[in-house]
Amino acid sequence: MADTANKTLDPRLNRRGFLKGCTMAAAALGLSETVVPKMVEAATSGQRPPVIWMHFQECTGCSETLLRGAHPDLANLILDIISLDYHETVMAAAGYQAEEALHDSMKKNRGKYIMVVEGSIPTKEDGIYCKVAGKTALDSLNEVAAGAAAIIAIGACATFGGVQAASPNPTGAVGVDKLITDKPIVNIAGCPPNPVNFLGTVLHFMTFNRFPALDQLKRPKFGYGRRIHDHCERRAHFDEGRFVEQFGDEFHQAGYCLYKVGCKGPETFANCPTARFNEMGVWPVSIGHGCIGCTEPAFWDTMTPFYERIPDVNIPGTGIIEDADRLGTQILGVTAAAVGIHAAVGIGKRLIKGKSGSDES
Ligand code: SF4
Ligand code: SF4
């Protein structure tokens, strides 16, 4: 297995790093380690899927997070298991040469290539707000998608429109699946997404010839099937009503829950607490910043202000504390209400403990 891998892989990517990357992807996918040899076999078969990577309205942060991670083996692994035929940011060619590479790959691999889209697509005024090589993003999307076997939308912009689609959405920006409806599409949400979720999706596609199971927003369930809040290491503080009141206070220093300073973990579905980032074993909440809900649609509108709870509706029937946070159930639904009640109960427990003088904090 390893010999085969070393024959076909970039020499920068050693066997250990390669196996580690596959093992990480298998773990993220929720698969047993026994599937790793099958993944390695698929990734080293020499039949690397051709990938055409289009950039539209975006900041290139998704590519950056893949290529500049603290763990270079991951970037190398991704680049070694696919044949990246067109990617404006990393390809050496430019201008006519780049266009030629794009059209050559589209022609040669028609019906077989994976299209990756980074960035939202403007639809107002016939899409004039984003043009590459004289074509609108809208036209390029339709042209390249027509010959694709499948499409991976990567990042908040390509999945749900991103910051460009925030109200009043001046360019009419939308995500890919609002425009393309006749191809398999997977949404790797996040701003930026965790590279492990991209890697796991690609390896799953290569190993099983299909995308992993998706949720109703087309996000792979392995990466977006659970709430941040349910796996957060600060959850015990939430349950006991121990909250940071403001950044830098003694409770912040003690690692208490960030709910009252705006953490949107209770409303957000992603694997950040378990997958973590940058080989450092950290994620935003672990280093003291609340989740801003970047894997959810329209989070720039529905999750702001980022540093406040969403003030909309009284939590009915709790009556435990008069200053318990209110939650925006119209926007966030029943889950939010349930979490609010839970938070209020936690705060209530804390007050009761405080009154009886038994509060350990
Ligand atoms: S509210 Fe945020 S910080 Fe608190 S437990 Fe939930 S995810 Fe963690
Ligand atoms: S913790 Fe929240 S805001 Fe941060 S990357 Fe994960 S989902 Fe996005």
Side-chain angles (χ1 to χ4, degrees):
M1 172 177 76
D3 287 342
T4 318
N6 281 335
K7 267 179 213 157
T8 52
L9 291 169
D10 184 319
R12 290 169 303 168
L13 179 61
N14 63 35
R15 171 179 174 264
R16 202 159 154 231
F18 180 72
L19 291 176
K20 192 173 169 192
C22 286
T23 307
M24 275 167 68
L29 284 161
L31 300 173
S32 108
E33 277 193 25
T34 55
V35 89
V36 172
K38 203 172 171 195
M39 280 184 161
V40 172
E41 194 188 326
T44 57
S45 66
Q47 295 172 335
R48 299 188 300 164
V51 171
I52 295 178
W53 193 301
M54 304 298 286
H55 292 259
F56 298 133
Q57 290 190 139
E58 43 83 30
C59 69
T60 314
C62 301
S63 287
E64 290 286 337
T65 197
L66 285 174
L67 300 172
R68 300 191 193 281
H71 183 35
D73 282 349
L74 194 59
N76 291 339
L77 176 59
I78 290 167
L79 293 175
D80 272 321
I81 62 174
I82 62 174
S83 168
L84 192 55
D85 289 0
Y86 181 85
H87 185 298
E88 286 151 20
T89 317
V90 301
M91 67 196 300
Y96 292 112
Q97 225 184 359
E99 280 299 294
E100 202 180 331
L102 171 62
H103 287 97
D104 280 355
S105 179
M106 282 169 58
K107 201 165 150 197
K108 193 166 124 209
N109 302 306
R110 190 162 183 84
K112 293 188 220 144
Y113 60 81
I114 297 174
M115 179 187 196
V116 178
V117 180
E118 185 173 347
S120 63
I121 303 96
T123 57
K124 278 193 187 161
E125 324 286 349
D126 293 325
I128 57 166
Y129 298 103
C130 179
K131 282 181 141 187
V132 176
K135 279 186 208 156
T136 64
L138 203 50
D139 286 343
S140 296
L141 175 79
N142 287 323
E143 186 186 1
V144 181
I151 301 174
I152 300 178
I154 186 166
C157 307
T159 52
F160 307 127
V163 68
Q164 304 88 328
S167 179
N169 193 358
T171 67
V174 295
V176 176
D177 68 358
K178 290 280 178 295
L179 299 167
I180 304 294
T181 53
D182 60 347
K183 299 280 173 182
I185 297 178
V186 58
N187 282 331
I188 308 294
C191 188
N194 194 318
V196 167
N197 293 339
F198 179 77
L199 174 66
T201 300
V202 172
L203 275 172
H204 192 285
F205 189 81
M206 291 176 70
T207 309
F208 303 108
N209 208 24
R210 59 185 159 76
F211 283 141
L214 307 180
D215 69 8
Q216 78 278 13
L217 295 170
K218 298 191 174 69
R219 300 176 299 192
K221 284 185 181 168
F222 77 82
Y224 305 89
R226 301 221 171 148
R227 277 190 314 165
I228 294 270
H229 186 62
D230 295 339
H231 293 273
C232 177
E233 61 260 50
R234 296 180 189 240
R235 176 61 185 266
H237 293 303
F238 176 93
D239 289 345
E240 289 300 314
R242 294 189 291 258
F243 296 101
V244 174
E245 298 294 334
Q246 63 179 43
F247 288 105
D249 70 10
E250 59 185 303
F251 307 122
H252 195 213
Q253 286 166 30
Y256 284 7
C257 170
L258 299 158
Y259 177 79
K260 289 178 82 174
V261 287
C263 180
K264 308 299 189 294
E267 294 88 30
T268 304
F269 286 76
N271 57 355
C272 306
T274 49
R276 303 193 168 232
F277 291 85
N278 292 341
E279 281 291 290
M280 308 274 294
V282 297
W283 64 294
V285 169
S286 76
I287 54 172
H289 194 287
C291 168
I292 60 171
C294 79
T295 55
E296 298 300 322
F299 77 97
W300 294 97
D301 291 327
T302 60
M303 303 285 190
T304 46
F306 288 137
Y307 297 105
E308 292 172 22
R309 291 307 308 163
I310 300 170
D312 263 323
V313 175
N314 280 315
I315 304 164
T318 60
I320 299 172
I321 355 175
E322 43 214 52
D323 68 339
D325 291 324
R326 300 158 187 236
L327 295 176
T329 48
Q330 295 103 324
I331 299 169
L332 300 167
V334 177
T335 303
V339 167
I341 291 164
H342 194 176
V345 169
I347 297 167
K349 274 159 100 179
R350 198 168 138 68
L351 286 182
I352 292 160
K353 278 183 188 172
K355 275 186 189 154
S356 68
S358 61
D359 191 347
E360 73 275 17
S361 65

